[in-house]
Amino acid sequence: MTGGYLKGRIRREDIITAAAAAYGELGYHGSSLREIAKRVGISHAGLLYYFPTKEALLAAVLERRDAEDSEREQLTVPPGLAVLRHFVALAEHNVRHPGIVDLYSRLAAEAVAPDHPAHEYFVRHYRAARDGVHESFAALAARGELRDGVEPALAALTFIALMDGLQVQWLTVPGDVDLVGSLRFYLQNLLTVPL
Amino acid sequence: MTGGYLKGRIRREDIITAAAAAYGELGYHGSSLREIAKRVGISHAGLLYYFPTKEALLAAVLERRDAEDSEREQLTVPPGLAVLRHFVALAEHNVRHPGIVDLYSRLAAEAVAPDHPAHEYFVRHYRAARDGVHESFAALAARGELRDGVEPALAALTFIALMDGLQVQWLTVPGDVDLVGSLRFYLQNLLTVPL
């Protein structure tokens, strides 16, 4: 790796970090490339060298977020209790990283509009999250570890929605909301075995 | 009521309607008074006559939202199943008014920042919503209508969070999310009696 290449990578990562912070504070629509360049301490033209459009930079921010999540998730975990415990662990991680949660909540609320450049990302994100949890609830149901009458698809949908809704309330008044305890409460209430 | 006064009231309501639409599309931070004036078809100075600051206009939008909600809610309903059914009815109303839901979700995500002019509004809003539902879950518990081990405070917190989280997912992909069915599923799962 040449010094120039390494310097370029660091600069690129710096821009992504600054963009994530700006999106969290001002929203995607409220953040200009000019403002983000200023935060990094480079010129507008210098930023355009790495990210020629606003959309390209947003895509890089979302890609990094997914890469960080996948790194933490052991994708070899079989469907069932272990997957649910993983989500609780993700919530424990999020409690220590409010900036990431803030960025995610802001973008999710903006990206409900079909013409938002992150819209398709969130459509895929929600489906993948629901499908993953659905599979685990179905496996639990097959083993008799889900309470009678609990429909795995609805349990999955409400679980993902609950995580999102709790995050916004927790960001608003951290002291009022036990993020991790609430998720445990919800999951335990669906199960016939300890979480 | 003089013609001039009536005209003023209508103009004021028009501005609030345009502001709510702009906040939903662009977020509060992304919406300028100039842009809102343009939507109403009046001058910037004309808008400042009614709302001298951005914050004053935001306050009017939130006040109208609360007034509309209170109008629908019968505040005389005693704590218990009837209150929960009210929230399900509110969700049924929201499904027919995605614009209001969009505005609320966008503002809630922006207003997590303590210096956002709607921050205190959301702090109060969440507390009032949780307290109201908590009281009902506690009444149900006292009558043995809540399943064993269901903690009323956590049930209330997760119920409000679930509503918020479901709304964002539903706005993103309406066809994927049964907003009302999911709330019913969640509530029924906590109760020993039919909702």
Side-chain angles (χ1 to χ4, degrees):
Chain A
M1 193 181 270
T2 69
Y5 176 76
L6 180 63
K7 206 173 151 212
R9 276 211 58 86
I10 291 172
R11 182 57 47 90
R12 192 174 186 280
E13 295 305 311
D14 287 348
I15 297 169
I16 297 173
T17 301
Y23 297 166
E25 285 167 39
L26 309 167
Y28 170 75
H29 286 311
S31 306
S32 66
L33 291 182
R34 211 171 283 278
E35 159 70 18
I36 292 163
K38 213 168 125 191
R39 287 175 181 230
V40 188
I42 60 174
S43 68
H44 186 209
L47 186 145
L48 291 176
Y49 171 77
Y50 294 97
F51 299 101
T53 64
K54 240 185 122 171
E55 288 78 8
L57 182 49
L58 175 62
V61 169
L62 295 173
E63 268 163 32
R64 184 202 275 180
R65 199 196 120 90
D66 279 353
E68 285 170 351
D69 277 1
S70 311
E71 222 170 86
R72 272 192 310 282
E73 283 163 27
Q74 291 165 7
L75 296 169
T76 50
V77 174
L81 278 184
V83 169
L84 301 184
R85 288 191 200 116
H86 252 312
F87 274 90
V88 175
L90 179 63
E92 283 166 352
H93 173 87
N94 285 347
V95 168
R96 293 189 302 273
H97 298 84
I100 298 172
V101 181
D102 195 350
L103 164 65
Y104 170 83
S105 304
R106 282 292 299 270
L107 279 180
E110 276 192 4
V112 302
D115 60 353
H116 191 286
H119 183 73
E120 287 307 318
Y121 169 85
F122 278 98
V123 171
R124 284 195 308 273
H125 168 83
Y126 287 133
R127 285 193 180 140
R130 286 196 302 258
D131 288 352
V133 182
H134 182 182
E135 195 188 10
S136 283
F137 279 125
L140 289 164
R143 289 200 286 268
E145 296 176 348
L146 214 55
R147 286 204 310 104
D148 279 350
V150 172
E151 164 55 50
L154 276 176
L157 169 62
T158 52
F159 178 62
I160 301 300
L162 177 63
M163 284 191 76
D164 291 346
L166 281 172
Q167 287 178 351
V168 177
Q169 262 191 78
W170 168 72
L171 286 168
T172 308
V173 200
D176 280 7
V177 177
D178 177 358
L179 196 69
V180 175
S182 301
L183 286 181
R184 284 186 185 282
F185 161 82
Y186 175 78
L187 289 173
Q188 192 56 68
N189 197 42
L190 299 175
L191 301 171
T192 59
V193 291
L195 178 62
Chain B
M1 191 181 276
T2 70
Y5 175 75
L6 181 61
K7 206 173 150 214
R9 274 212 57 86
I10 291 172
R11 182 55 48 93
R12 193 175 185 280
E13 295 305 311
D14 288 346
I15 297 169
I16 296 173
T17 301
Y23 297 167
E25 287 167 39
L26 309 168
Y28 169 74
H29 285 310
S31 306
S32 65
L33 291 182
R34 209 170 283 279
E35 159 71 18
I36 292 163
K38 213 169 126 191
R39 288 176 179 229
V40 188
I42 61 174
S43 68
H44 186 209
L47 187 145
L48 292 176
Y49 170 79
Y50 294 97
F51 299 100
T53 63
K54 241 186 120 171
E55 288 77 9
L57 182 49
L58 175 62
V61 170
L62 294 174
E63 268 164 32
R64 185 202 277 179
R65 198 196 121 89
D66 279 353
E68 286 171 351
D69 277 1
S70 311
E71 223 170 83
R72 273 191 311 280
E73 283 163 29
Q74 291 165 8
L75 296 169
T76 50
V77 173
L81 277 184
V83 169
L84 301 184
R85 288 191 200 115
H86 250 312
F87 274 91
V88 175
L90 179 64
E92 283 166 351
H93 172 87
N94 285 346
V95 167
R96 294 189 301 274
H97 299 83
I100 298 171
V101 181
D102 196 352
L103 165 64
Y104 169 83
S105 304
R106 281 292 299 270
L107 279 180
E110 275 191 5
V112 303
D115 59 353
H116 191 286
H119 183 74
E120 286 308 316
Y121 169 85
F122 278 98
V123 170
R124 284 194 308 272
H125 169 84
Y126 287 132
R127 284 193 180 141
R130 285 197 302 258
D131 288 352
V133 182
H134 183 182
E135 196 189 11
S136 283
F137 279 124
L140 288 164
R143 290 199 287 268
E145 295 176 348
L146 214 54
R147 286 204 310 103
D148 279 349
V150 172
E151 165 54 51
L154 276 176
L157 168 63
T158 53
F159 178 62
I160 301 302
L162 178 63
M163 286 192 78
D164 291 345
L166 280 171
Q167 287 177 350
V168 177
Q169 261 191 79
W170 167 74
L171 286 167
T172 307
V173 198
D176 279 7
V177 176
D178 177 359
L179 197 69
V180 176
S182 301
L183 287 180
R184 284 187 185 283
F185 160 81
Y186 175 78
L187 289 172
Q188 192 55 70
N189 197 43
L190 298 175
L191 302 170
T192 60
V193 292
L195 179 63

